[in-house]
Amino acid sequence: MPGTSRREALALGFAAAAMPMLAGGARAAVLKYTLNPVAIAPGVWTIYGLPEPITSKNGGAIANITIFDTSEGAVLIDAGPSHRYGEALKAKATELTGKPVVRVYLTHYHTDHVLGATAFESGTVSAGKTLTADLKKVGNDLTNAMYRVAGDWMRGTDIPTPGREAAEGVETVGERRFRLLPLAGHTSEDLCLYEESTGLLFPGDLVFLDRAATTPDARIDTWRTSLKTLGGIDHKLLVPGHGPVEAGTRGIAQTGRWLDTVEAQINDGFERGLDITELMAVPLPSWTDGIAVAKYEYARSVMHLMPGLEVARLPRLTRV
Ligand SMILES: [Zn+2]
């Protein structure tokens, strides 16, 4: 399309998605993830996710994905939101390292992190026992939800079936040594990885930085315990599931503060008898001003956490 900008081409692509009579091939050619890896250590690159919710514009590319070069091949931490993303990631990892991808670690079962895994050999995809079981249980529902939100980006995406079990301990790939530590709280299993040769710490979505944490499957008390554990792991750089890579523990502290704030505000509103709509309208404290999608995630957290409070605190009428 000479003279057509990328933005216009994308707009045409989305218009085409709404008109099924148009040929699908043209749409497939338009939707393309642009992956921009940033070097964070020698032979290690992070592809930053956008600080946004999942939309039909970003195709779900909102989570951080990391590529390690090793003498045996490329190692990935998480695989992105769709088969199409996984294919682009595989090509980028091979281009950067000159080697095939030999290991893909999945941190937790949320779609923005795992659905790209279908682009890789099942035997190279490593996940904790609980994560793999959760994918079997709810993978279908999660994938369907992604199709509804991200649309055509998802074409060809299926539920990953990890062929390797990520258990607690050290796994060596070439000169890299990955310490695996299954934690929980953001989901039923959150795999934390620490790579010894670089001092990089990967807490998955147990840590969000400058982007509000998501809580659809959270157990807040367990999450707090995991944050404490993470705080005790000495590291050079922390690579959060979402947000900038940094030295220090700002992400751990900020995620804890966010959880405290949201939980306290929801508890307080509940005690004051506010309903869900009223509670969503309560403003967040000013310290959250610099946190991306804070209002949006707070509203979602109200929906996730209120029903649990109602069950726990309201009188059980059946006993009367
Ligand atoms: Zn995520």
Side-chain angles (χ1 to χ4, degrees):
M1 279 181 280
T4 306
S5 74
R6 183 174 152 70
R7 183 180 291 270
E8 284 165 338
L10 276 172
L12 284 173
F14 291 120
M19 287 185 277
M21 73 289 286
L22 292 183
R27 304 206 299 269
V30 171
L31 294 182
K32 191 168 176 285
Y33 291 100
T34 306
L35 307 185
N36 294 313
V38 176
I40 58 166
V44 190
W45 302 264
T46 291
I47 299 165
Y48 283 105
L50 293 164
E52 300 171 359
I54 295 167
T55 67
S56 63
K57 274 196 182 153
N58 61 33
I62 63 166
N64 292 339
I65 312 293
T66 295
I67 301 167
F68 275 86
D69 187 14
T70 85
S71 55
E72 284 181 23
V75 175
L76 308 180
I77 313 287
D78 281 333
S82 63
H83 184 78
R84 190 184 303 241
Y85 186 102
E87 290 288 356
L89 177 61
K90 184 159 67 175
K92 188 59 78 178
T94 306
E95 177 195 319
L96 285 168
T97 64
K99 302 176 198 105
V101 173
V102 293
R103 187 73 49 87
V104 183
Y105 288 109
L106 302 180
T107 59
H108 64 292
Y109 72 82
H110 285 161
T111 48
D112 48 329
H113 300 259
V114 299
L115 292 184
T118 53
F120 302 91
E121 287 283 319
S122 164
T124 65
V125 179
S126 181
K129 237 187 195 157
T130 307
L131 195 167
T132 300
D134 282 344
L135 279 175
K136 273 195 193 130
K137 237 189 302 172
V138 295
N140 206 27
D141 290 345
L142 291 174
T143 309
N144 285 342
M146 270 301 269
Y147 268 87
R148 281 197 295 278
V149 179
D152 215 33
W153 290 97
M154 302 305 293
R155 188 181 303 186
T157 300
D158 213 333
I159 304 153
T161 49
R164 291 181 67 95
E165 188 188 322
E168 184 163 358
V170 176
E171 292 191 358
T172 302
V173 186
E175 69 279 38
R176 311 289 190 186
R177 278 169 60 82
F178 295 91
R179 256 200 269 153
L180 277 51
L181 181 62
L183 297 172
H186 173 67
T187 63
S188 48
E189 186 176 71
D190 301 285
L191 179 66
C192 166
L193 295 107
Y194 174 79
E195 202 288 302
E196 292 179 2
S197 76
T198 50
L200 294 172
L201 179 63
F202 298 86
D205 274 8
L206 288 167
V207 176
F208 286 70
L209 182 53
D210 299 337
R211 196 273 187 213
T214 68
T215 58
D217 304 299
R219 275 174 299 144
I220 306 283
D221 286 345
T222 313
W223 195 336
R224 282 197 187 99
T225 307
S226 292
L227 288 174
K228 235 175 240 158
T229 305
L230 289 168
I233 302 175
D234 210 17
H235 60 272
K236 277 198 187 129
L237 286 176
L238 185 146
V239 185
H242 299 256
V245 175
E246 272 190 13
T249 54
R250 193 170 72 94
I252 296 171
Q254 192 189 79
T255 304
R257 194 176 181 196
W258 172 263
L259 296 177
D260 291 349
T261 300
V262 166
E263 192 181 55
Q265 190 154 316
I266 292 174
N267 281 342
D268 178 61
F270 182 82
E271 296 298 338
R272 288 193 289 135
L274 301 186
D275 66 23
I276 284 192
T277 319
E278 290 165 333
L279 194 45
M280 280 180 188
V282 176
L284 286 162
S286 58
W287 78 263
T288 65
D289 287 352
I291 312 266
V293 292
K295 257 188 103 169
Y296 169 84
E297 290 301 347
Y298 165 66
R300 289 181 75 212
S301 292
V302 171
M303 287 192 286
H304 304 147
L305 302 176
M306 267 290 265
L309 272 181
E310 280 167 354
V311 168
R313 307 253 183 111
L314 287 179
R316 295 175 67 172
L317 297 177
T318 48
R319 281 206 184 154
V320 175

